[in-house]
Amino acid sequence: MGSHPKDVEITDAHPKTLLNQKHAEYIINYSKKKDDYEYTMTEHFRMSGIYWGLTALDLLGQLEKLNKDEVIDFVKQCQSSNGGFSPSIGHDPHLLYTLSSIQVLVLLKAIDKVDTEKTVEYISKLQNEDGSFSGDEWGEVDSRFSFCAVASLTLLNRLDTIDVEKAVQFVLQCQNVDGGFGTRPGSESHSGQIYCCLGLLSITKQLHRINSDLLGWWLCERQLPSGGLNGRPEKLPDVCYSWWVLSSLTMLGRLHWINREKMVKFILATQDPESGGFTDRPGDMVDLYHTLFGLAGLSLLGEKSLKKINPVFCMPQYVLDQIGVNVQILSI
């Protein structure tokens, strides 16, 4: 048997143990490099970057090493007059960054530092007649935005401000005959969208309305011989799908359907032993996005040196326990 045409090779030269301290140092150093090229080029999604970094640090048990006041001050400056949050100061608000902002504030126990009533109003106004959500005032519709809206309102304990049943109906219409979900009804199935749609159904306790076996098989077929997962058929593996696919399988109660040993080996191989951080696949450049999702995937797989992660919110479980947020997880 030759190697899979859309796969990578894991060798003995790749890391085999989790380099916790290296990853913590990578995240802390990244936050200090305000002038370097990579930091400057990520301004258009800065808020998400802050969420990825903080969550990863918390999973590693090193959240106290970051300047919380500086982060809170930045988030406050990103709240728009309409209540939504932008990716960076002076940018337009969007649901994606509104969720990231709320997650950061909940993580830092600072949600009272912003005008949450305005935020709730902003989010609920973005729901459309068919139950879907627009990402911002320009009206683009995507099942990701449905998840962002429902997750944000749940963290704020204000899910009562939208038509939840209509939101569920829209997401159910995004399911395809292969069991997967797309961005809108009729769109191609993709692991990232599956996570968003299942996340919404988990929060609203409606997971029983889908065919879990069919979807579970589609997700398991994303695992390649290297152990890595791809987002859809015929694509290369990417460590971020260690999150999108594994969290979805966890919600469905079917995480044991994939090869755990191979999966762990693949994720560990994407670490950079010099700088710390994770890459999309072995040998590429590290970034905050893949660092969080590499760690999050390992947490789902039971890595003892990391805090337990919630499969729906991608936040440490203890944080959600503290604010009383519960999700639905199926059992087989």
Side-chain angles (χ1 to χ4, degrees), residues 106 151 154-157 203 205 310 313 317 319-327:
V106 168
T154 301
L155 290 172
L156 296 173
N157 197 24
I203 291 168
K205 316 289 193 285
N310 180 278
F313 286 90
Q317 183 60 47
V319 176
L320 296 163
D321 291 341
Q322 286 172 346
I323 59 170
V325 169
N326 297 304
V327 296

Side-chain angles (χ1 to χ4, degrees), residues 20-305:
N20 300 50
Q21 198 49 43
K22 283 276 187 190
H23 301 315
E25 285 164 13
Y26 163 70
I27 297 162
I28 293 155
N29 289 336
Y30 183 94
S31 70
K32 291 175 182 168
K33 294 179 190 166
K34 301 273 195 295
D35 299 322
D36 86 355
Y37 177 76
E38 188 187 359
Y39 190 90
T40 312
M41 291 305 289
T42 56
E43 186 183 0
H44 60 289
F45 56 82
R46 177 71 34 81
M47 190 64 75
S48 294
I50 290 172
Y51 154 68
W52 299 329
L54 283 179
T55 306
L57 267 187
D58 202 1
L59 290 176
L60 290 161
Q62 306 211 28
L63 190 57
E64 76 289 344
K65 294 196 174 164
L66 219 61
N67 185 331
K68 293 182 186 181
D69 292 338
E70 192 182 310
V71 173
I72 293 164
D73 188 51
F74 176 80
V75 177
K76 281 166 67 177
Q77 290 183 70
C78 289
Q79 186 169 29
S80 170
S81 57
N82 67 8
F85 289 83
S86 60
S88 199
I89 299 161
H91 289 240
D92 291 334
H94 194 285
L95 263 180
L96 289 172
Y97 306 108
T98 299
L99 174 58
S100 292
S101 301
I102 293 168
Q103 288 172 305
V104 166
L105 292 170
V106 168
L107 210 58
L108 298 179
K109 299 182 177 56
I111 199 71
D112 59 333
K113 300 280 196 274
V114 296
D115 188 343
T116 54
E117 279 308 307
K118 269 269 190 232
T119 305
V120 169
E121 193 184 320
Y122 168 77
I123 297 167
S124 50
K125 278 183 176 171
L126 289 171
Q127 188 171 29
N128 301 308
E129 191 51 44
D130 65 354
S132 66
F133 281 83
S134 301
D136 57 19
E137 61 179 316
W138 310 112
E140 184 195 357
V141 169
D142 187 314
S143 51
R144 284 182 306 159
F145 308 152
S146 294
F147 171 74
C148 289
V150 166
S152 297
L153 291 172
T154 301
L155 290 172
L156 296 173
N157 197 24
R158 293 301 304 277
L159 201 51
D160 58 322
T161 58
I162 59 161
D163 190 325
V164 174
E165 179 52 32
K166 271 192 172 181
V168 168
Q169 285 297 342
F170 173 76
V171 158
L172 291 173
Q173 286 167 21
C174 296
Q175 188 167 29
N176 295 315
V177 290
D178 60 11
F181 290 81
T183 54
R184 285 181 293 279
S187 298
E188 179 192 13
S189 296
H190 187 280
S191 301
Q193 307 299 144
I194 289 169
Y195 160 78
C196 290
C197 293
L198 285 184
L200 183 145
L201 295 173
S202 170
I203 291 168
T204 57
K205 316 289 193 285
Q206 299 295 318
L207 281 173
H208 57 279
R209 295 170 72 168
I210 57 165
N211 184 334
S212 299
D213 281 347
L214 181 65
L215 178 50
W217 280 118
W218 190 93
L219 290 163
C220 289
E221 283 172 357
R222 304 282 58 79
Q223 190 166 32
L224 297 165
S226 65
L229 299 158
N230 61 19
R232 52 204 162 106
E234 298 303 309
K235 295 292 180 184
L236 281 165
D238 184 323
V239 92
C240 71
Y241 295 115
S242 308
W243 174 254
W244 311 119
V245 174
L246 296 183
S247 60
S248 298
L249 285 169
T250 303
M251 288 182 238
L252 295 173
R254 285 152 176 81
L255 185 60
H256 58 289
W257 282 14
I258 58 123
N259 185 319
R260 181 188 177 280
E261 199 180 329
K262 279 185 150 187
M263 183 77 252
V264 169
K265 191 176 175 184
F266 175 83
I267 299 174
L268 293 176
T270 65
Q271 300 174 100
D272 187 321
E274 303 300 319
S275 67
F278 289 75
T279 66
D280 55 354
R281 56 193 71 92
D284 288 352
M285 290 287 287
V286 299
D287 58 55
L288 284 178
Y289 174 81
H290 290 96
T291 299
L292 169 60
F293 293 129
L295 292 169
L298 290 170
S299 175
L300 284 177
L301 293 167
E303 170 54 51
K304 295 284 188 283
S305 68

